[in-house]
Amino acid sequence: MGAAVQPARVRRLADHRRDRGDHADRDPRGRAARPGRRDLPVGVRHPRVRKIFKPVLEVLAGVPTVVFGFFALVFVTPLLQSWFPFLDLEAKNALAAGLLVGVMIIPIVASLSEDSMAAVPNGLREGSYALGASKMLTSVRVVVPAAFSGIVAAIILAISRAAGETMIVAIAGGFKAVFTFNPTNEMSTMAAFIAQAGSGDASVGSIAYKTIFAVGSLLFIMTFAMNWFSARMVQKYREVYD
């Protein structure tokens, strides 16, 4: 019985000494931080911040894209015109549309990346802490590499989602079919061009009618290539734990 009790006492003593000496893993009131969540981002690590930002992201993911487009047209564009008059922004421009598309894909990246980091086994975190690593070092050197495949998949999925977005770029970016790298001008994306050309004005068999299928095929190939690349990255960097 003594041989069975002794290791337990040693473990309790080691845990006690570790908790007393590891000041970096304590909060300002002196209590030891909870293991398994210390190395996640601020919005995940602190329950109060999580309770605020998690519902906000979920609500943001459920907002219709037409609302984003209308908001970019009537609020973001005038705001940019008043703050940066030297940009000479047009009424419809790619800058405002791009900003709102970026806001739209934030919940996708944040939610999937959080799930990937939360799925990292606690044993890796505890092993890093046992070797004397800080919370930041554990996040950068242990958790992020272990969840790298999921984070990359989330980013590529968000890019694919942004590439196929129609309503935001159609409302805020316009339908002007020009090739330019100037984001202050009106321009048309592939998805917006399909929406405009497929409105019913193009006659069957015409060049404009066939262009719809050509642009749609190119958009499909691009998104398929990005998803294939995402799957390859997941297979290459995926780490399986028992």
Side-chain angles (χ1 to χ4, degrees):
M1 180 175 180
V5 174
Q6 186 67 21
R9 295 181 59 186
V10 171
R11 286 195 299 269
R12 287 196 299 268
L13 180 61
D15 293 340
H16 178 67
R17 289 178 176 176
R18 182 187 60 190
D19 292 339
R20 290 184 58 188
D22 193 1
H23 299 288
D25 291 335
R26 293 173 176 267
D27 61 14
R29 287 174 286 187
R31 295 178 298 184
R34 296 169 60 185
R37 306 184 72 88
R38 296 179 292 184
D39 51 345
L40 295 179
V42 176
V44 179
R45 187 172 66 243
H46 298 285
R48 293 182 180 178
V49 179
R50 180 187 177 89
K51 288 181 180 179
I52 296 174
F53 283 96
K54 186 69 174 178
V56 170
L57 290 176
E58 293 175 354
V59 171
L60 192 63
V63 175
T65 56
V66 65
V67 176
F68 282 116
F70 184 75
F71 181 78
L73 181 63
V74 303
F75 180 77
V76 177
T77 297
L79 187 66
L80 293 175
Q81 289 174 341
S82 62
W83 284 5
F84 308 102
F86 57 89
L87 292 179
D88 195 17
L89 285 173
E90 297 182 0
K92 292 185 177 183
N93 56 86
L95 181 59
L99 290 175
L100 266 297
V101 170
V103 172
M104 180 198 67
I105 64 176
I106 286 176
I108 300 176
V109 179
S111 179
L112 296 179
S113 299
E114 178 194 353
D115 294 339
S116 300
M117 290 185 290
V120 176
N122 287 332
L124 296 180
R125 302 181 178 93
E126 294 170 356
S128 178
Y129 296 141
L131 293 175
S134 62
K135 292 181 290 184
M136 179 61 69
L137 189 61
T138 301
S139 301
V140 175
R141 297 293 182 87
V142 177
V143 178
V144 172
F148 180 74
S149 60
I151 296 173
V152 171
I155 295 174
I156 297 179
L157 179 63
I159 295 175
S160 301
R161 174 69 178 84
E165 176 53 38
T166 304
M167 293 306 301
I168 297 178
V169 294
I171 296 175
F175 293 105
K176 190 175 181 180
V178 294
F179 183 77
T180 177
F181 291 100
N182 187 1
T184 62
N185 295 335
E186 179 181 356
M187 63 180 65
S188 177
T189 63
M190 289 187 291
F193 174 80
I194 294 173
Q196 180 191 22
S199 59
D201 297 334
S203 59
V204 177
S206 62
I207 298 297
Y209 181 80
K210 295 179 180 178
T211 306
I212 299 174
F213 295 94
V215 176
S217 300
L218 179 60
L219 183 61
F220 171 77
I221 292 173
M222 290 176 57
T223 55
F224 180 81
M226 285 187 289
N227 285 302
W228 177 82
F229 179 74
S230 173
R232 293 285 297 177
M233 293 291 291
V234 170
Q235 292 178 357
K236 182 176 181 180
Y237 294 101
R238 182 181 181 183
E239 299 183 10
V240 180
Y241 305 97
D242 296 330

XYZ file of all heavy atoms in Angstrom, residues 73 77 81 89-95 169-175 183-187:
159
model
N -22.365 50.352 -49.403
C -22.717 51.396 -50.356
C -23.128 52.689 -49.671
O -22.706 53.779 -50.087
C -23.846 50.898 -51.263
C -24.329 51.868 -52.342
C -23.212 52.168 -53.335
C -25.542 51.291 -53.056
N -18.614 53.542 -47.996
C -18.079 54.387 -49.073
C -18.116 55.879 -48.724
O -17.099 56.582 -48.887
C -18.836 54.120 -50.376
O -18.622 52.764 -50.776
C -18.346 55.042 -51.480
N -14.821 58.278 -48.254
C -14.697 59.521 -49.025
C -14.452 60.728 -48.128
O -13.732 61.652 -48.521
C -15.954 59.726 -49.870
C -16.086 58.756 -51.024
C -17.407 58.905 -51.751
O -18.365 59.464 -51.225
N -17.479 58.393 -52.975
N -12.465 58.367 -54.441
C -13.281 57.156 -54.554
C -14.518 57.418 -55.402
O -15.152 58.469 -55.301
C -13.721 56.679 -53.167
C -12.685 55.999 -52.289
C -13.248 55.763 -50.906
C -12.230 54.693 -52.898
N -14.857 56.447 -56.228
C -16.095 56.513 -56.976
C -17.253 56.061 -56.090
O -17.052 55.513 -55.003
C -16.003 55.638 -58.224
C -14.932 56.086 -59.206
C -14.904 55.224 -60.452
O -15.715 54.283 -60.538
O -14.067 55.499 -61.337
N -18.467 56.293 -56.557
C -19.644 55.912 -55.764
C -19.658 54.418 -55.487
O -20.013 53.979 -54.389
C -20.917 56.345 -56.479
N -19.298 53.638 -56.481
C -19.112 52.201 -56.314
C -17.650 51.889 -56.555
O -17.089 52.293 -57.586
C -19.994 51.419 -57.273
C -21.483 51.523 -56.976
C -22.286 50.619 -57.891
C -23.771 50.681 -57.540
N -24.585 49.757 -58.379
N -17.028 51.217 -55.626
C -15.595 50.959 -55.725
C -15.279 49.609 -55.114
O -16.059 49.048 -54.336
C -14.812 52.069 -55.029
C -15.224 52.240 -53.582
O -14.716 51.563 -52.695
N -16.183 53.140 -53.326
N -14.116 49.099 -55.482
C -13.694 47.792 -55.005
C -13.185 47.832 -53.571
O -13.185 46.811 -52.888
C -12.610 47.227 -55.915
N -12.748 49.003 -53.096
C -12.198 49.095 -51.747
C -13.260 48.814 -50.685
O -13.050 47.993 -49.790
C -11.581 50.473 -51.535
C -10.944 50.733 -50.170
C -9.830 49.741 -49.900
C -10.434 52.165 -50.081
N -20.218 42.503 -53.818
C -19.452 43.135 -54.887
C -20.372 43.707 -55.961
O -20.024 44.680 -56.638
C -18.456 42.126 -55.500
C -17.408 41.732 -54.484
C -19.175 40.888 -56.017
N -21.563 43.116 -56.129
C -22.490 43.652 -57.128
C -23.087 44.981 -56.672
O -23.245 45.908 -57.471
C -23.596 42.640 -57.404
N -23.400 45.087 -55.380
C -24.020 46.306 -54.869
C -22.984 47.396 -54.626
O -23.174 48.555 -55.024
C -24.796 46.001 -53.577
C -25.952 45.040 -53.870
C -25.327 47.287 -52.949
C -26.703 44.596 -52.628
N -21.885 47.047 -53.977
C -20.894 48.054 -53.591
C -19.778 48.227 -54.604
O -19.157 49.293 -54.667
C -20.295 47.700 -52.227
N -19.474 47.176 -55.388
C -18.370 47.257 -56.345
C -18.779 47.644 -57.742
O -17.970 48.177 -58.499
N -20.033 47.368 -58.099
C -20.517 47.760 -59.413
C -20.393 46.653 -60.436
O -19.989 45.519 -60.130
N -20.745 46.998 -61.697
C -20.733 46.030 -62.799
C -19.834 46.480 -63.949
O -19.935 45.948 -65.040
C -22.157 45.832 -63.343
C -23.088 45.166 -62.372
C -24.045 45.905 -61.705
C -23.004 43.809 -62.116
C -24.914 45.295 -60.821
C -23.865 43.189 -61.245
C -24.820 43.926 -60.583
N -8.131 49.992 -56.499
C -9.345 49.641 -55.750
C -10.325 50.788 -55.579
O -11.428 50.577 -55.081
C -8.793 49.199 -54.390
C -7.514 49.953 -54.238
C -6.949 50.070 -55.628
N -9.950 51.992 -55.968
C -10.865 53.123 -55.819
C -11.862 53.222 -56.970
O -12.790 54.023 -56.908
C -10.067 54.433 -55.724
O -9.337 54.633 -56.944
C -9.097 54.389 -54.552
N -11.670 52.444 -58.015
C -12.547 52.510 -59.178
C -13.633 51.439 -59.111
O -13.516 50.452 -58.377
C -11.742 52.334 -60.476
C -10.770 53.470 -60.695
O -10.970 54.582 -60.197
N -9.710 53.206 -61.440
N -14.667 51.648 -59.890
C -15.715 50.632 -60.010
C -15.216 49.503 -60.890
O -14.562 49.727 -61.922
C -16.968 51.257 -60.616
C -18.113 50.280 -60.818
C -19.319 50.927 -61.446
O -19.287 52.166 -61.646
O -20.299 50.207 -61.744
N -15.503 48.289 -60.510
C -15.087 47.127 -61.291
C -16.068 45.989 -61.053
O -16.933 46.069 -60.165
C -13.660 46.695 -60.916
C -13.477 46.242 -59.491
S -11.780 45.762 -59.114
C -10.921 47.310 -59.313
